Amino acid sequence: MTLITGIQKYSIHDGDGIRTTVFFKGCPLNCIWCHNPETQSYQRELLSDKEACINCGKCKAACPFDSCQSCGTCVDVCPLNLREIAGEEYTIPNLLKELKKDEMFYEESGGGVTLSGGEVLAQDMDYIETLMMRLSRIGIPANIDTCGYVPYENIQRILPFTDTFLYDVKLVNQEKHKKYIGKDNQLILENLIRLSQDGGKLHIRIPVIKEVNGSKEDLQEIIDFLTNNNILVQRIHLLPYHNTGSGKYEKLGKQYQGKAFTPPSPEEMENFKKLFINAGFHNTKIGG
Ligand code: SF4
Ligand code: SF4
């Protein structure tokens, strides 16, 4: 079952122009700082704002189960709208209908659709391939925002229909990658090499967190990896850390592990940008 947690319109940080970004639910990685924790699990989930709750008891009275099954019954009874379900099913025709609504903006701005998540390439690939094929047929450019931790076959399936890959590279250092992201990075880096060799148009996105990868050494390792493997990069985005998603953890009943993380200073970010530019990555930007 392919679930979607949100469709964000007028997005300007997920590739060129004005875009509509679709967030798919479920991700094989577990980044400590994840901004979208509601996209980590592949299952439907209830988010509820416990801080604002006035304990009126209406949700409890409406609930048909002893423990939460994320059925959504309680969402409509809350007088303060404090409850929501993350994870909605869309048929491909219904999703396309939604995405086509902003066709005019895509055309005027050179934008399109971006499939994101969660991890879009860790979903039902028959669904994703059909969606990409149909977007391509109707002339809507589609980007894929990926963490790269997927079988390469999944990337190959959508490559002919993909305009740009927004490919996340967080760390080259294996130990640190395992510590902060929960998985080895070998597959991610191997897939990046193959995708570049197969002609994928690449925007590399690097979230920069002072305590994780916010040092000259960590970023130099990424530069060396890209250079030594002749990765053809159209653009590099250095994304300073922000903690805007931390409130969602509480709503999901989870604990945010990234409380101690901080963004590098603007001066440090400028210096990191220079590092990339001096290494020949002239199209390096700070931000999305
Ligand atoms: S989502 Fe359904 S199962 Fe969960 S608390 Fe609400 S009514 Fe109960
Ligand atoms: S219905 Fe809303 S306000 Fe009432 S107890 Fe449930 S979450 Fe709290």
Side-chain angles (χ1 to χ4, degrees):
M1 183 167 52
T2 301
L3 295 174
I4 288 169
T5 60
I7 298 175
Q8 189 178 307
K9 305 224 170 192
Y10 315 113
S11 165
I12 50 162
H13 297 297
D14 295 317
D16 293 332
I18 296 172
R19 314 196 69 87
T20 297
T21 303
V22 185
F23 295 91
F24 288 90
K25 190 157 168 41
C27 180
L29 299 183
N30 197 9
C31 302
I32 290 181
W33 62 87
C34 181
H35 299 144
N36 297 318
E38 77 284 11
T39 66
Q40 289 180 328
S41 156
Y42 289 86
Q43 313 301 323
R44 274 162 64 94
E45 284 172 289
L46 172 72
L47 283 86
S48 93
D49 186 342
K50 292 161 199 81
E51 241 176 62
C53 173
I54 51 166
N55 293 314
C56 72
K58 288 191 174 157
C59 53
K60 206 171 173 199
C63 179
F65 300 103
D66 291 334
S67 65
C68 183
Q69 310 291 317
S70 305
C71 73
T73 307
C74 60
V75 170
D76 291 335
V77 302
C78 176
L80 301 180
N81 278 329
L82 302 180
R83 298 167 91 83
E84 60 178 306
I85 291 288
E88 205 179 323
E89 269 186 281
Y90 278 78
T91 62
I92 289 177
N94 280 348
L95 183 54
L96 282 169
K97 200 169 146 196
E98 195 58 38
L99 299 176
K100 277 163 78 174
K101 283 182 187 165
D102 292 320
E103 230 172 336
M104 202 176 71
F105 295 109
Y106 311 150
E107 275 166 25
E108 279 175 10
S109 68
V113 164
T114 298
L115 305 188
S116 183
E119 175 51 55
V120 55
L121 300 181
Q123 306 294 327
D124 170 0
M125 283 307 295
D126 289 339
Y127 180 100
I128 300 299
E129 186 183 8
T130 307
L131 175 62
M132 290 294 284
M133 202 188 302
R134 295 195 50 187
L135 283 167
S136 168
R137 269 198 211 137
I138 56 177
I140 296 181
N143 290 352
I144 292 284
D145 178 12
T146 182
C147 72
Y149 194 85
V150 295
Y152 190 70
E153 187 201 319
N154 294 7
I155 299 177
Q156 268 173 323
R157 287 180 67 172
I158 47 83
L159 178 57
F161 316 112
T162 303
D163 184 55
T164 302
F165 287 88
L166 313 176
Y167 202 107
D168 288 3
V169 177
K170 289 130 185 161
L171 281 158
V172 168
N173 181 292
Q174 283 278 6
E175 290 315 307
K176 277 187 154 189
H177 200 278
K178 272 190 211 157
K179 179 176 172 188
Y180 292 112
I181 291 142
K183 296 266 167 62
D184 189 282
N185 61 4
Q186 199 180 336
L187 180 65
I188 298 170
L189 300 178
E190 279 173 8
N191 282 345
L192 181 56
I193 295 171
R194 289 185 71 180
L195 181 53
S196 172
Q197 287 168 350
D198 286 348
K201 187 173 151 196
L202 288 164
H203 290 185
I204 302 290
R205 309 227 285 188
I206 307 170
V208 191
I209 303 161
K210 204 164 180 168
E211 295 75 11
V212 176
N213 62 353
S215 73
K216 208 176 147 193
E217 292 70 30
D218 283 312
L219 294 169
Q220 188 62 49
E221 276 189 341
I222 295 178
I223 291 172
D224 292 344
F225 172 82
L226 297 174
T227 308
N228 296 340
N229 292 290
N230 299 314
I231 308 288
L232 284 175
V233 178
Q234 300 256 339
R235 207 180 290 165
I236 305 258
H237 288 278
L238 300 175
L239 309 168
Y241 169 75
H242 61 83
N243 66 356
T244 48
S246 59
K248 293 188 204 167
Y249 283 83
E250 217 166 292
K251 289 185 181 175
L252 285 162
K254 292 181 178 174
Q255 259 209 325
Y256 180 53
Q257 307 286 335
K259 275 188 188 132
F261 291 160
T262 51
S265 68
E267 293 75 26
E268 284 172 309
M269 288 303 293
E270 280 301 329
N271 287 336
F272 295 151
K273 181 179 162 184
K274 276 186 207 145
L275 211 60
F276 279 85
I277 289 175
N278 292 340
F281 298 99
H282 300 292
N283 204 355
T284 298
K285 294 183 185 327
I286 296 172

